[in-house]
Amino acid sequence: MSLYRFKIISLYRNYSQAAAAVSNQPHNYGEAVDKKNPSFAKSLYVGNFVHAAFTKNTKEVSLPKLNKLFGICVSKEFGGLELSSASVSEAYKRINFADLRENIAHGSVVKCINMTGTDEQKRKILPQLASGECVASFCIYENKHGYDIQNNETKATQKNGKWIINGSKQWVMNGERANMFLVLAKTMDECNRPESEHNFFTTFLVKKSQNSGIKITAEGNHYNVTFNNVEADCILGSENEGLNCYTMLFNSDFLESSSATLGEVKNIVQRTSKHFHTHDRSSLIKLGKLNSHLYTMDCVLEFTSQILDTYDPKSDYELILARLFVSETTRSCLNLLNDLGLSKKSFKYIENSLLFEGRSNLLPVVGALLGIQYAGQFMAEDVKQLRNPLMFPKYTLSHIMKIQRSLKNKPKLNHYIEKHLHPSLQKQALDLEYCLSRLQFGIQNMFINLGPDTCYYQMILERANSVAMDLFALAAVLHRVSQKLYNSNTQPYPTELIFANVFCNSIREKCSQSVDEILDAPHNVVDPHYKVIGQNCFVEKNYFFEHPLKRNIF
């Protein structure tokens, strides 16, 4: 009995230390838990289901006739359209995919000015951006460092009271047409805090002119922009706080790019649907999967837009999950199109855009850090009680019983999600709640097994994010299907119900597998072994390839 008590206290201690360490882990996306208006997606990590966001009704999207998308994010005060997130999403679904980069770059700069610009800057610049008189782009990344912003070399120094920029930026979208650039430059030399080991950056707005010292060269679909003693027009935001703008730029286009991707896939399917061969069973199954993917992506974007418009406009994690889900599902769609005999030339452009999306490797880890930091903060009260189990015996006993039920794969379901759905979706609601409880149990055990180093286990974090993404998508599908069933004269087996059933079954299976792998971490997960094998391919290159008869791989 004393040994059992010792193990329980040890587990609680590890769990408490991990939760406390994770809640204090610094990163650009961290924020305090809002108890009155909790995040829908982040709450999945703690086993809570935010009914307030889930029960919002989807509104009809009224979209004006648009020739260009320059002013859709600009307020009416400055000559823009000030569209809702749902309308913006719908507009980008209809955009020509070839024009996507231009509009994404322009819109991202507009959002930064909206968030960090002064009133005078907004009055002066936004009307020009809204009308298209001035086209904007951002210059952030450099060839040597990519997404490692801290080591960027472009500098801005003061000379005669003016900021002068020198350096080179790569992968600039819309570089040739743009006549205004948002530039991130190092200003460490001008900083009054030299004791810090971090570099400090400032965001500048620079207008292009004939003799401005800006040189632009094309490189594939992007441009390189070189600044040679270029005078900045103004600072955007605060001096030495430019990384705040970078954080905005990093996730500023998730809704737009996801919507445009879905719109392009729909166009490809529509253009080529008459050429599909549907006389055999295999082709019909592939077509069914293809249409199911299109439906689920549509549900996710609609649900995300609704949360942004009617619940929480600062839903950063929802946007990340939506972008990841659309990217992953689009790849599945392209594989199905290829299996159905469609030439790769038909979708080469969108395939390349997914392959060279540099953020796709970062987003799962960034998303998981958002979720587990929220969990660490949310569980602060739990941690307090679990650190003193003898002082809180009632809570400790209930927690032990909860763990026992989860270990037997029979979690207690007490969120009553089915009350907020159409009666036909009762089984799917219970499956969603089951997966929700399993994810919470997986996160708690991840804290216990990995301790304060939880943040450094990348592949385990990716699994946690994957489960959260699937649950977010399932909630979106059930929300859409429930509203459709309530608002229409349904047949005995409507198509919407079939979509929900198929998707729910696949998500429950995936969730169960991923949570089992999280529970087995780190010892029974094979990713670290693959890493070692990958390293050995370089370390033992000569051994493997020059002496095949002498090596003993066992």
Side-chain angles (χ1 to χ4, degrees):
M1 186 69 177
S2 59
L3 178 62
Y4 178 76
R5 176 178 174 274
F6 174 76
K7 288 183 177 180
I8 288 293
I9 294 177
S10 298
L11 288 177
Y12 283 166
R13 185 180 296 114
N14 290 340
Y15 168 63
S16 302
Q17 290 175 349
V22 168
S23 66
N24 294 323
Q25 185 73 13
H27 56 76
N28 292 335
Y29 294 88
E31 60 180 17
V33 173
D34 186 351
K35 298 282 186 174
K36 294 182 179 179
N37 197 37
S39 166
F40 182 88
K42 294 175 188 175
S43 293
L44 300 176
Y45 279 77
V46 294
N48 287 347
F49 194 83
V50 183
H51 297 98
F54 183 69
T55 54
K56 298 286 185 180
N57 291 324
T58 304
K59 298 180 180 178
E60 292 292 330
V61 176
S62 56
L63 188 65
K65 187 175 181 180
L66 298 171
N67 295 322
K68 295 290 183 181
L69 304 183
F70 289 135
I72 61 175
C73 296
V74 180
S75 65
K76 294 180 180 179
E77 178 186 358
F78 302 113
L81 296 173
E82 200 175 344
L83 297 184
S84 65
S85 297
S87 297
V88 169
S89 177
E90 189 62 32
Y92 271 89
K93 287 177 188 176
R94 304 178 188 182
I95 194 177
N96 185 339
F97 204 72
D99 298 329
L100 176 63
R101 296 177 184 276
E102 172 186 320
N103 287 278
I104 288 292
H106 184 90
S108 296
V109 175
V110 168
K111 289 180 181 179
C112 279
I113 296 174
N114 272 329
M115 293 294 292
T116 63
T118 64
D119 291 340
E120 182 181 354
Q121 288 172 340
K122 292 177 183 179
R123 285 194 299 270
K124 183 179 179 180
I125 300 171
L126 287 180
Q128 300 176 40
L129 296 177
S131 65
E133 173 189 345
C134 188
V135 179
S137 188
F138 54 86
C139 301
I140 302 293
Y141 307 109
E142 299 182 7
N143 189 33
K144 292 182 181 179
H145 309 292
Y147 283 92
D148 184 10
I149 302 299
Q150 278 288 343
N151 288 315
N152 276 2
E153 298 175 3
T154 298
K155 290 185 178 182
T157 56
Q158 281 192 325
K159 186 176 181 179
N160 298 327
K162 297 180 180 178
W163 285 97
I164 306 299
I165 302 175
N166 284 281
S168 182
K169 299 289 186 178
Q170 278 73 37
W171 306 301
V172 178
M173 296 182 285
N174 194 28
E176 190 173 47
R177 188 180 175 192
N179 43 28
M180 176 183 287
F181 293 108
L182 184 152
V183 185
L184 186 71
K186 186 185 295 185
T187 49
M188 184 65 182
D189 295 340
E190 309 299 326
C191 182
N192 295 321
R193 290 169 285 179
E195 69 280 0
S196 174
E197 296 180 358
H198 294 284
N199 292 320
F200 289 88
F201 296 85
T202 302
T203 307
F204 300 91
L205 289 178
V206 178
K207 280 196 174 181
K208 183 174 66 176
S209 61
Q210 189 171 1
N211 300 316
S212 61
I214 299 176
K215 181 182 178 182
I216 299 173
T217 56
E219 186 175 339
N221 295 326
H222 298 87
Y223 294 87
N224 298 333
V225 181
T226 302
F227 300 90
N228 185 16
N229 292 323
V230 176
E231 183 180 323
D233 290 84
C234 63
I235 289 177
L236 187 61
S238 303
E239 185 178 329
N240 297 318
E241 300 293 340
L243 291 182
N244 292 333
C245 269
Y246 170 67
T247 301
M248 296 176 202
L249 286 170
F250 186 83
N251 64 353
S252 63
D253 66 308
F254 288 155
L255 180 64
E256 292 86 344
S257 58
S258 301
S259 301
T261 300
L262 173 57
E264 182 69 7
V265 177
K266 283 185 174 180
N267 289 337
I268 294 171
V269 173
Q270 186 176 7
R271 288 195 304 265
T272 58
S273 59
K274 57 185 177 182
H275 303 299
F276 291 152
H277 301 292
T278 59
H279 58 277
D280 65 288
R281 179 185 177 89
S282 177
S283 295
L284 284 174
I285 291 175
K286 289 183 175 68
L287 280 173
K289 290 181 178 179
L290 186 62
N291 280 282
S292 178
H293 288 333
L294 293 176
Y295 184 82
T296 53
M297 284 192 286
D298 219 353
C299 291
V300 167
L301 291 177
E302 180 184 90
F303 189 54
T304 304
S305 300
Q306 170 205 292
I307 289 177
L308 290 169
D309 286 333
T310 64
Y311 181 70
D312 185 5
K314 297 180 180 179
S315 302
D316 48 358
Y317 192 28
E318 283 78 0
L319 288 169
I320 290 175
L321 293 181
R323 180 58 190 160
L324 284 170
F325 183 82
V326 169
S327 297
E328 182 180 304
T329 311
T330 297
R331 290 188 179 91
S332 299
C333 288
L334 298 185
N335 290 334
L336 288 169
L337 289 169
N338 187 51
D339 292 343
L340 286 165
L342 184 64
S343 171
K344 280 204 170 187
K345 293 181 179 179
S346 303
F347 53 82
K348 182 178 180 181
Y349 191 83
I350 188 172
E351 186 176 51
N352 288 341
S353 71
L354 292 174
L355 288 173
F356 296 103
E357 171 57 77
R359 293 173 300 182
S360 59
N361 292 327
L362 301 173
L363 287 181
V365 176
V366 171
L369 288 175
L370 282 171
I372 65 171
Q373 186 186 50
Y374 180 90
Q377 294 173 339
F378 191 91
M379 295 173 182
E381 189 62 30
D382 292 350
V383 168
K384 180 181 177 182
Q385 297 184 55
L386 292 176
R387 280 177 173 170
N388 301 281
L390 300 181
M391 293 182 64
F392 301 95
K394 184 177 179 181
Y395 180 84
T396 302
L397 181 61
S398 66
H399 196 75
I400 292 174
M401 293 177 63
K402 185 177 181 180
I403 291 175
Q404 291 298 320
R405 292 182 64 90
S406 296
L407 287 172
K408 294 177 182 178
N409 201 15
K410 295 181 180 180
K412 188 176 181 180
L413 309 181
N414 55 6
H415 287 289
Y416 306 106
I417 300 174
E418 68 274 9
K419 290 185 177 181
H420 303 281
L421 292 172
H422 191 273
S424 302
L425 297 171
Q426 183 176 3
K427 184 262 182 187
Q428 288 81 3
L430 293 175
D431 283 345
L432 172 58
E433 194 164 343
Y434 163 83
C435 294
L436 183 68
S437 297
R438 291 294 290 164
L439 175 59
Q440 181 201 20
F441 183 61
I443 297 301
Q444 286 181 334
N445 276 268
M446 182 172 68
F447 283 163
I448 293 171
N449 294 336
L450 305 182
D453 294 332
T454 300
C455 299
Y456 303 107
Y457 286 85
Q458 177 179 339
M459 304 308 295
I460 307 303
L461 293 177
E462 288 187 7
R463 283 173 170 81
N465 184 79
S466 177
V467 177
M469 179 185 72
D470 288 337
L471 294 188
F472 181 72
L474 180 56
V477 170
L478 295 183
H479 180 268
R480 159 83 78 87
V481 173
S482 180
Q483 288 198 344
K484 290 285 184 182
L485 293 175
Y486 271 125
N487 298 333
S488 61
N489 295 322
T490 59
Q491 301 171 0
Y493 298 99
T495 305
E496 287 83 4
L497 194 56
I498 297 175
F499 277 127
N501 194 43
V502 168
F503 189 64
C504 185
N505 289 337
S506 65
I507 292 301
R508 175 161 179 153
E509 182 179 350
K510 286 175 61 180
C511 173
S512 179
Q513 179 181 348
S514 296
V515 171
D516 286 343
E517 291 174 350
I518 293 173
L519 295 176
D520 288 338
H523 306 294
N524 296 328
V525 179
V526 298
D527 297 315
H529 303 298
Y530 284 130
K531 180 181 177 182
V532 172
I533 293 172
Q535 289 172 336
N536 288 343
C537 288
F538 296 95
V539 174
E540 304 179 8
K541 180 178 179 182
N542 293 333
Y543 179 72
F544 269 81
F545 292 100
E546 294 181 10
H547 308 283
L549 297 179
K550 296 181 180 180
R551 67 178 184 264
N552 180 7
I553 61 175
F554 300 103

PDB file of all heavy atoms in Angstrom, residues 488-512:
ATOM      1  N   SER A 488     -33.860  21.435 -42.987  1.00  0.00           N
ATOM      2  CA  SER A 488     -34.391  20.910 -44.248  1.00  0.00           C
ATOM      3  C   SER A 488     -35.300  19.733 -43.976  1.00  0.00           C
ATOM      4  O   SER A 488     -35.242  19.107 -42.921  1.00  0.00           O
ATOM      5  CB  SER A 488     -33.249  20.486 -45.174  1.00  0.00           C
ATOM      6  OG  SER A 488     -32.494  19.461 -44.573  1.00  0.00           O
ATOM      7  N   ASN A 489     -36.127  19.439 -44.951  1.00  0.00           N
ATOM      8  CA  ASN A 489     -36.985  18.256 -44.866  1.00  0.00           C
ATOM      9  C   ASN A 489     -36.141  17.043 -45.257  1.00  0.00           C
ATOM     10  O   ASN A 489     -35.925  16.769 -46.430  1.00  0.00           O
ATOM     11  CB  ASN A 489     -38.184  18.398 -45.812  1.00  0.00           C
ATOM     12  CG  ASN A 489     -39.085  19.539 -45.386  1.00  0.00           C
ATOM     13  OD1 ASN A 489     -39.283  19.759 -44.185  1.00  0.00           O
ATOM     14  ND2 ASN A 489     -39.626  20.269 -46.349  1.00  0.00           N
ATOM     15  N   THR A 490     -35.636  16.361 -44.263  1.00  0.00           N
ATOM     16  CA  THR A 490     -34.656  15.310 -44.524  1.00  0.00           C
ATOM     17  C   THR A 490     -35.319  14.028 -44.990  1.00  0.00           C
ATOM     18  O   THR A 490     -36.440  13.700 -44.624  1.00  0.00           O
ATOM     19  CB  THR A 490     -33.853  15.009 -43.254  1.00  0.00           C
ATOM     20  OG1 THR A 490     -34.763  14.593 -42.236  1.00  0.00           O
ATOM     21  CG2 THR A 490     -33.090  16.240 -42.793  1.00  0.00           C
ATOM     22  N   GLN A 491     -34.569  13.292 -45.798  1.00  0.00           N
ATOM     23  CA  GLN A 491     -34.957  11.958 -46.218  1.00  0.00           C
ATOM     24  C   GLN A 491     -34.473  10.976 -45.151  1.00  0.00           C
ATOM     25  O   GLN A 491     -33.719  11.343 -44.255  1.00  0.00           O
ATOM     26  CB  GLN A 491     -34.327  11.634 -47.570  1.00  0.00           C
ATOM     27  CG  GLN A 491     -34.725  12.625 -48.659  1.00  0.00           C
ATOM     28  CD  GLN A 491     -33.934  12.410 -49.918  1.00  0.00           C
ATOM     29  OE1 GLN A 491     -33.093  11.525 -49.980  1.00  0.00           O
ATOM     30  NE2 GLN A 491     -34.203  13.216 -50.926  1.00  0.00           N
ATOM     31  N   PRO A 492     -34.885   9.720 -45.246  1.00  0.00           N
ATOM     32  CA  PRO A 492     -34.454   8.753 -44.228  1.00  0.00           C
ATOM     33  C   PRO A 492     -32.932   8.633 -44.115  1.00  0.00           C
ATOM     34  O   PRO A 492     -32.399   8.493 -43.031  1.00  0.00           O
ATOM     35  CB  PRO A 492     -35.075   7.438 -44.723  1.00  0.00           C
ATOM     36  CG  PRO A 492     -36.269   7.864 -45.522  1.00  0.00           C
ATOM     37  CD  PRO A 492     -35.886   9.150 -46.158  1.00  0.00           C
ATOM     38  N   TYR A 493     -32.216   8.683 -45.218  1.00  0.00           N
ATOM     39  CA  TYR A 493     -30.753   8.579 -45.199  1.00  0.00           C
ATOM     40  C   TYR A 493     -30.155   9.695 -46.046  1.00  0.00           C
ATOM     41  O   TYR A 493     -29.695   9.477 -47.162  1.00  0.00           O
ATOM     42  CB  TYR A 493     -30.302   7.205 -45.730  1.00  0.00           C
ATOM     43  CG  TYR A 493     -30.799   6.065 -44.897  1.00  0.00           C
ATOM     44  CD1 TYR A 493     -31.926   5.336 -45.287  1.00  0.00           C
ATOM     45  CD2 TYR A 493     -30.168   5.725 -43.716  1.00  0.00           C
ATOM     46  CE1 TYR A 493     -32.399   4.292 -44.522  1.00  0.00           C
ATOM     47  CE2 TYR A 493     -30.634   4.667 -42.948  1.00  0.00           C
ATOM     48  CZ  TYR A 493     -31.751   3.963 -43.346  1.00  0.00           C
ATOM     49  OH  TYR A 493     -32.219   2.933 -42.580  1.00  0.00           O
ATOM     50  N   PRO A 494     -30.171  10.927 -45.534  1.00  0.00           N
ATOM     51  CA  PRO A 494     -29.664  12.051 -46.314  1.00  0.00           C
ATOM     52  C   PRO A 494     -28.156  11.959 -46.508  1.00  0.00           C
ATOM     53  O   PRO A 494     -27.437  11.342 -45.716  1.00  0.00           O
ATOM     54  CB  PRO A 494     -30.034  13.267 -45.459  1.00  0.00           C
ATOM     55  CG  PRO A 494     -30.132  12.736 -44.070  1.00  0.00           C
ATOM     56  CD  PRO A 494     -30.628  11.335 -44.204  1.00  0.00           C
ATOM     57  N   THR A 495     -27.669  12.608 -47.541  1.00  0.00           N
ATOM     58  CA  THR A 495     -26.239  12.578 -47.858  1.00  0.00           C
ATOM     59  C   THR A 495     -25.411  13.141 -46.716  1.00  0.00           C
ATOM     60  O   THR A 495     -24.320  12.633 -46.409  1.00  0.00           O
ATOM     61  CB  THR A 495     -25.963  13.390 -49.138  1.00  0.00           C
ATOM     62  OG1 THR A 495     -26.787  12.893 -50.189  1.00  0.00           O
ATOM     63  CG2 THR A 495     -24.515  13.290 -49.550  1.00  0.00           C
ATOM     64  N   GLU A 496     -25.922  14.184 -46.063  1.00  0.00           N
ATOM     65  CA  GLU A 496     -25.167  14.792 -44.965  1.00  0.00           C
ATOM     66  C   GLU A 496     -24.877  13.787 -43.848  1.00  0.00           C
ATOM     67  O   GLU A 496     -23.791  13.777 -43.264  1.00  0.00           O
ATOM     68  CB  GLU A 496     -25.934  15.990 -44.388  1.00  0.00           C
ATOM     69  CG  GLU A 496     -25.939  17.217 -45.268  1.00  0.00           C
ATOM     70  CD  GLU A 496     -27.014  17.144 -46.338  1.00  0.00           C
ATOM     71  OE1 GLU A 496     -27.786  16.156 -46.327  1.00  0.00           O
ATOM     72  OE2 GLU A 496     -27.083  18.058 -47.176  1.00  0.00           O
ATOM     73  N   LEU A 497     -25.853  12.949 -43.554  1.00  0.00           N
ATOM     74  CA  LEU A 497     -25.680  11.961 -42.492  1.00  0.00           C
ATOM     75  C   LEU A 497     -24.624  10.920 -42.881  1.00  0.00           C
ATOM     76  O   LEU A 497     -23.862  10.436 -42.042  1.00  0.00           O
ATOM     77  CB  LEU A 497     -27.008  11.276 -42.185  1.00  0.00           C
ATOM     78  CG  LEU A 497     -27.088  10.469 -40.885  1.00  0.00           C
ATOM     79  CD1 LEU A 497     -26.716  11.330 -39.691  1.00  0.00           C
ATOM     80  CD2 LEU A 497     -28.477   9.885 -40.720  1.00  0.00           C
ATOM     81  N   ILE A 498     -24.577  10.594 -44.159  1.00  0.00           N
ATOM     82  CA  ILE A 498     -23.561   9.652 -44.634  1.00  0.00           C
ATOM     83  C   ILE A 498     -22.171  10.252 -44.486  1.00  0.00           C
ATOM     84  O   ILE A 498     -21.230   9.593 -44.029  1.00  0.00           O
ATOM     85  CB  ILE A 498     -23.834   9.270 -46.110  1.00  0.00           C
ATOM     86  CG1 ILE A 498     -25.175   8.550 -46.228  1.00  0.00           C
ATOM     87  CG2 ILE A 498     -22.713   8.385 -46.645  1.00  0.00           C
ATOM     88  CD1 ILE A 498     -25.590   8.245 -47.644  1.00  0.00           C
ATOM     89  N   PHE A 499     -22.028  11.528 -44.859  1.00  0.00           N
ATOM     90  CA  PHE A 499     -20.741  12.218 -44.685  1.00  0.00           C
ATOM     91  C   PHE A 499     -20.296  12.160 -43.223  1.00  0.00           C
ATOM     92  O   PHE A 499     -19.145  11.849 -42.917  1.00  0.00           O
ATOM     93  CB  PHE A 499     -20.868  13.686 -45.117  1.00  0.00           C
ATOM     94  CG  PHE A 499     -20.715  13.909 -46.588  1.00  0.00           C
ATOM     95  CD1 PHE A 499     -21.687  14.600 -47.285  1.00  0.00           C
ATOM     96  CD2 PHE A 499     -19.592  13.466 -47.267  1.00  0.00           C
ATOM     97  CE1 PHE A 499     -21.553  14.825 -48.646  1.00  0.00           C
ATOM     98  CE2 PHE A 499     -19.450  13.681 -48.627  1.00  0.00           C
ATOM     99  CZ  PHE A 499     -20.430  14.362 -49.322  1.00  0.00           C
ATOM    100  N   ALA A 500     -21.215  12.488 -42.316  1.00  0.00           N
ATOM    101  CA  ALA A 500     -20.878  12.518 -40.894  1.00  0.00           C
ATOM    102  C   ALA A 500     -20.467  11.146 -40.389  1.00  0.00           C
ATOM    103  O   ALA A 500     -19.494  11.009 -39.635  1.00  0.00           O
ATOM    104  CB  ALA A 500     -22.068  13.042 -40.088  1.00  0.00           C
ATOM    105  N   ASN A 501     -21.179  10.113 -40.801  1.00  0.00           N
ATOM    106  CA  ASN A 501     -20.904   8.767 -40.319  1.00  0.00           C
ATOM    107  C   ASN A 501     -19.549   8.272 -40.802  1.00  0.00           C
ATOM    108  O   ASN A 501     -18.747   7.724 -40.024  1.00  0.00           O
ATOM    109  CB  ASN A 501     -22.010   7.818 -40.788  1.00  0.00           C
ATOM    110  CG  ASN A 501     -21.969   6.487 -40.059  1.00  0.00           C
ATOM    111  OD1 ASN A 501     -21.780   6.443 -38.856  1.00  0.00           O
ATOM    112  ND2 ASN A 501     -22.135   5.407 -40.796  1.00  0.00           N
ATOM    113  N   VAL A 502     -19.261   8.482 -42.090  1.00  0.00           N
ATOM    114  CA  VAL A 502     -17.990   8.033 -42.659  1.00  0.00           C
ATOM    115  C   VAL A 502     -16.820   8.739 -41.992  1.00  0.00           C
ATOM    116  O   VAL A 502     -15.831   8.114 -41.582  1.00  0.00           O
ATOM    117  CB  VAL A 502     -17.970   8.285 -44.187  1.00  0.00           C
ATOM    118  CG1 VAL A 502     -16.567   8.094 -44.743  1.00  0.00           C
ATOM    119  CG2 VAL A 502     -18.943   7.357 -44.890  1.00  0.00           C
ATOM    120  N   PHE A 503     -16.924  10.045 -41.863  1.00  0.00           N
ATOM    121  CA  PHE A 503     -15.822  10.818 -41.303  1.00  0.00           C
ATOM    122  C   PHE A 503     -15.617  10.492 -39.829  1.00  0.00           C
ATOM    123  O   PHE A 503     -14.483  10.359 -39.355  1.00  0.00           O
ATOM    124  CB  PHE A 503     -16.098  12.314 -41.487  1.00  0.00           C
ATOM    125  CG  PHE A 503     -14.929  13.191 -41.150  1.00  0.00           C
ATOM    126  CD1 PHE A 503     -13.757  13.126 -41.878  1.00  0.00           C
ATOM    127  CD2 PHE A 503     -15.001  14.087 -40.100  1.00  0.00           C
ATOM    128  CE1 PHE A 503     -12.667  13.931 -41.568  1.00  0.00           C
ATOM    129  CE2 PHE A 503     -13.927  14.908 -39.778  1.00  0.00           C
ATOM    130  CZ  PHE A 503     -12.751  14.818 -40.517  1.00  0.00           C
ATOM    131  N   CYS A 504     -16.701  10.341 -39.094  1.00  0.00           N
ATOM    132  CA  CYS A 504     -16.612  10.048 -37.658  1.00  0.00           C
ATOM    133  C   CYS A 504     -15.927   8.709 -37.414  1.00  0.00           C
ATOM    134  O   CYS A 504     -15.076   8.585 -36.522  1.00  0.00           O
ATOM    135  CB  CYS A 504     -18.013  10.048 -37.050  1.00  0.00           C
ATOM    136  SG  CYS A 504     -18.025   9.851 -35.273  1.00  0.00           S
ATOM    137  N   ASN A 505     -16.255   7.710 -38.204  1.00  0.00           N
ATOM    138  CA  ASN A 505     -15.639   6.390 -38.029  1.00  0.00           C
ATOM    139  C   ASN A 505     -14.131   6.453 -38.261  1.00  0.00           C
ATOM    140  O   ASN A 505     -13.350   5.840 -37.522  1.00  0.00           O
ATOM    141  CB  ASN A 505     -16.272   5.371 -38.978  1.00  0.00           C
ATOM    142  CG  ASN A 505     -17.696   5.018 -38.579  1.00  0.00           C
ATOM    143  OD1 ASN A 505     -18.077   5.182 -37.419  1.00  0.00           O
ATOM    144  ND2 ASN A 505     -18.490   4.543 -39.527  1.00  0.00           N
ATOM    145  N   SER A 506     -13.714   7.181 -39.286  1.00  0.00           N
ATOM    146  CA  SER A 506     -12.281   7.264 -39.585  1.00  0.00           C
ATOM    147  C   SER A 506     -11.542   8.046 -38.500  1.00  0.00           C
ATOM    148  O   SER A 506     -10.416   7.691 -38.126  1.00  0.00           O
ATOM    149  CB  SER A 506     -12.058   7.916 -40.954  1.00  0.00           C
ATOM    150  OG  SER A 506     -12.483   9.275 -40.952  1.00  0.00           O
ATOM    151  N   ILE A 507     -12.169   9.095 -37.972  1.00  0.00           N
ATOM    152  CA  ILE A 507     -11.518   9.914 -36.944  1.00  0.00           C
ATOM    153  C   ILE A 507     -11.358   9.131 -35.646  1.00  0.00           C
ATOM    154  O   ILE A 507     -10.312   9.203 -34.987  1.00  0.00           O
ATOM    155  CB  ILE A 507     -12.310  11.214 -36.703  1.00  0.00           C
ATOM    156  CG1 ILE A 507     -12.228  12.109 -37.926  1.00  0.00           C
ATOM    157  CG2 ILE A 507     -11.783  11.941 -35.470  1.00  0.00           C
ATOM    158  CD1 ILE A 507     -10.840  12.500 -38.333  1.00  0.00           C
ATOM    159  N   ARG A 508     -12.363   8.374 -35.265  1.00  0.00           N
ATOM    160  CA  ARG A 508     -12.266   7.594 -34.019  1.00  0.00           C
ATOM    161  C   ARG A 508     -11.119   6.600 -34.104  1.00  0.00           C
ATOM    162  O   ARG A 508     -10.361   6.423 -33.143  1.00  0.00           O
ATOM    163  CB  ARG A 508     -13.582   6.878 -33.732  1.00  0.00           C
ATOM    164  CG  ARG A 508     -13.468   5.956 -32.516  1.00  0.00           C
ATOM    165  CD  ARG A 508     -14.787   5.601 -31.922  1.00  0.00           C
ATOM    166  NE  ARG A 508     -14.606   4.693 -30.784  1.00  0.00           N
ATOM    167  CZ  ARG A 508     -15.419   4.579 -29.767  1.00  0.00           C
ATOM    168  NH1 ARG A 508     -16.493   5.342 -29.709  1.00  0.00           N
ATOM    169  NH2 ARG A 508     -15.185   3.728 -28.785  1.00  0.00           N
ATOM    170  N   GLU A 509     -10.966   5.966 -35.235  1.00  0.00           N
ATOM    171  CA  GLU A 509      -9.880   4.995 -35.407  1.00  0.00           C
ATOM    172  C   GLU A 509      -8.516   5.670 -35.348  1.00  0.00           C
ATOM    173  O   GLU A 509      -7.592   5.189 -34.675  1.00  0.00           O
ATOM    174  CB  GLU A 509     -10.062   4.267 -36.743  1.00  0.00           C
ATOM    175  CG  GLU A 509      -9.022   3.201 -37.005  1.00  0.00           C
ATOM    176  CD  GLU A 509      -9.239   2.483 -38.331  1.00  0.00           C
ATOM    177  OE1 GLU A 509     -10.312   2.684 -38.954  1.00  0.00           O
ATOM    178  OE2 GLU A 509      -8.334   1.751 -38.753  1.00  0.00           O
ATOM    179  N   LYS A 510      -8.370   6.803 -36.052  1.00  0.00           N
ATOM    180  CA  LYS A 510      -7.097   7.528 -36.041  1.00  0.00           C
ATOM    181  C   LYS A 510      -6.767   8.054 -34.649  1.00  0.00           C
ATOM    182  O   LYS A 510      -5.621   8.003 -34.211  1.00  0.00           O
ATOM    183  CB  LYS A 510      -7.154   8.697 -37.040  1.00  0.00           C
ATOM    184  CG  LYS A 510      -7.085   8.293 -38.495  1.00  0.00           C
ATOM    185  CD  LYS A 510      -7.270   9.492 -39.402  1.00  0.00           C
ATOM    186  CE  LYS A 510      -6.208  10.533 -39.212  1.00  0.00           C
ATOM    187  NZ  LYS A 510      -6.404  11.700 -40.110  1.00  0.00           N
ATOM    188  N   CYS A 511      -7.773   8.582 -33.971  1.00  0.00           N
ATOM    189  CA  CYS A 511      -7.570   9.127 -32.628  1.00  0.00           C
ATOM    190  C   CYS A 511      -7.083   8.043 -31.678  1.00  0.00           C
ATOM    191  O   CYS A 511      -6.145   8.254 -30.898  1.00  0.00           O
ATOM    192  CB  CYS A 511      -8.866   9.746 -32.114  1.00  0.00           C
ATOM    193  SG  CYS A 511      -8.809  10.268 -30.395  1.00  0.00           S
ATOM    194  N   SER A 512      -7.697   6.886 -31.733  1.00  0.00           N
ATOM    195  CA  SER A 512      -7.322   5.799 -30.836  1.00  0.00           C
ATOM    196  C   SER A 512      -5.866   5.402 -31.040  1.00  0.00           C
ATOM    197  O   SER A 512      -5.107   5.223 -30.083  1.00  0.00           O
ATOM    198  CB  SER A 512      -8.233   4.594 -31.075  1.00  0.00           C
ATOM    199  OG  SER A 512      -7.888   3.520 -30.236  1.00  0.00           O
TER     200      SER A 512
END
